[in-house]
Amino acid sequence: MLLCIDCGNTNTVFSIWDGNAFLSTWRMETNHKRTADEYFVWLQGLMRLHGIEAKISETIISSTVPRVVFNLRVLCNRYFDCRPVVVGKPECDLPVAPRVDEGTTVGPDRLVNAAAGFDRHGGDIIVVDFGTATTFDVVARDGAYIGGVIAPGVNLSLEALHQSAAALPHVDITKPQAVIGTNTVACIQSGVFWGYIGLVEGIVRQIRVERDRPMKVIATGGLAPLFDQGFDLFDKVEEDLTMHGLRLLYDYNKGLTA
């Protein structure tokens, strides 16, 4: 079985692929101090709980936190007796090379999302990922990642507002009942929610102008469904897009796909 690991700035997601479907997906807080032994004990407990008995023999890692990769490599080597494919490293091939400025390092998560989006929806797409940062990844007609946009994430914006303004509380993001808030919490929720609706609409519009062609918009990330409530922002919401991309890139690097 294949273990796909997506390490982001906030959470690290583990998902097990049995060759036909993802059996289970689990997440934990990203912490560069966590050891390979701790990862293994945690994973083993969850696998037992879900009745997963088959042995993990293959692994692939995408990480935006370089310091975490070492212990994840140790986990794969020590407990699963395999050398992981690590997205973004020279030994990990991509179906189509990115077309960006020379010397630019593209985040592994963005490469994975580009590959997954192209596989499911073809080229000329924009992948919007609501993670720690809100990213817009532009994929050309041939599947190449050609650049994008990075904006502060929704929760990051809420936390910054709370920390920088002493009188403002920390609130959870939700769709407000009205644009005009009648209390402090409602005002913050409206500002963040409608602010991000406007941000997505504006950036997507400008990308389409620059590309001068129709561009499908695919959303992913935990907060994507929140912003997909009748606003016609996205052509599709794909909550499993990153895991799908990891599996695709593993197969590609092992010669299992063309």
Side-chain angles (χ1 to χ4, degrees):
M1 290 195 301
L2 171 66
L3 175 63
C4 298
I5 305 173
D6 173 35
C7 177
N9 290 292
T10 303
N11 291 312
T12 301
V13 182
F14 298 76
S15 194
I16 295 177
W17 173 261
D18 71 352
N20 296 300
F22 284 107
L23 302 180
S24 287
T25 298
W26 308 298
R27 65 183 59 232
M28 61 162 44
E29 181 184 13
T30 298
N31 182 353
H32 71 275
K33 295 181 179 179
R34 187 169 287 115
T35 67
D37 303 327
E38 289 174 305
Y39 283 123
F40 181 70
V41 169
W42 178 79
L43 271 172
Q44 280 289 96
L46 286 169
M47 289 175 68
R48 276 197 211 97
L49 183 64
H50 288 264
I52 300 173
E53 298 180 357
K55 181 182 176 183
I56 292 170
S57 58
E58 304 162 308
T59 54
I60 183 168
I61 300 168
S62 168
S63 178
T64 59
V65 187
R67 288 193 294 174
V68 175
V69 175
F70 174 78
N71 281 325
L72 290 174
R73 282 185 180 272
V74 174
L75 167 72
C76 300
N77 293 331
R78 180 181 298 166
Y79 290 106
F80 305 133
D81 193 27
C82 66
R83 178 183 176 89
V85 174
V86 181
V87 181
K89 298 298 182 182
E91 62 270 20
C92 179
D93 293 327
L94 301 172
V96 185
R99 294 197 290 271
V100 294
D101 292 345
E102 187 175 352
T104 298
T105 300
V106 180
D109 55 331
R110 309 183 79 179
L111 297 174
V112 171
N113 285 345
F118 179 72
D119 180 71
R120 285 184 169 173
H121 302 282
D124 287 333
I125 60 171
I126 305 165
V127 179
V128 185
D129 189 349
F130 292 92
T132 305
T134 300
T135 59
F136 297 73
D137 300 321
V138 183
V139 183
R141 185 170 298 170
D142 63 351
Y145 172 89
I146 58 171
V149 177
I150 300 175
V154 177
N155 287 319
L156 193 63
S157 296
L158 282 167
E159 190 62 29
L161 193 63
H162 169 59
Q163 290 183 359
S164 300
L168 298 182
H170 178 79
V171 303
D172 292 325
I173 181 64
T174 186
K175 181 184 177 183
Q177 294 182 344
V179 176
I180 301 173
T182 54
N183 57 69
T184 302
V185 170
C187 288
I188 295 172
Q189 289 175 332
S190 182
V192 172
F193 181 83
W194 291 108
Y196 273 85
I197 291 289
L199 180 143
V200 172
E201 288 179 331
I203 290 178
V204 166
R205 181 172 59 250
Q206 287 305 117
I207 290 174
R208 284 172 169 159
V209 168
E210 286 191 14
R211 295 291 292 160
D212 192 25
R213 66 189 64 190
M215 303 283 291
K216 286 184 179 179
V217 182
I218 313 303
T220 191
L223 290 176
L226 174 66
F227 295 99
D228 186 44
Q229 300 188 55
F231 299 106
D232 199 29
L233 289 177
F234 314 121
D235 293 282
K236 185 75 173 179
V237 173
E238 301 268 10
E239 295 186 50
D240 67 338
L241 190 71
T242 303
M243 287 298 155
H244 177 66
L246 283 171
R247 182 186 66 79
L248 283 174
L249 290 182
Y250 182 85
D251 287 351
Y252 182 80
N253 278 269
K254 295 300 178 179
L256 301 177
T257 58

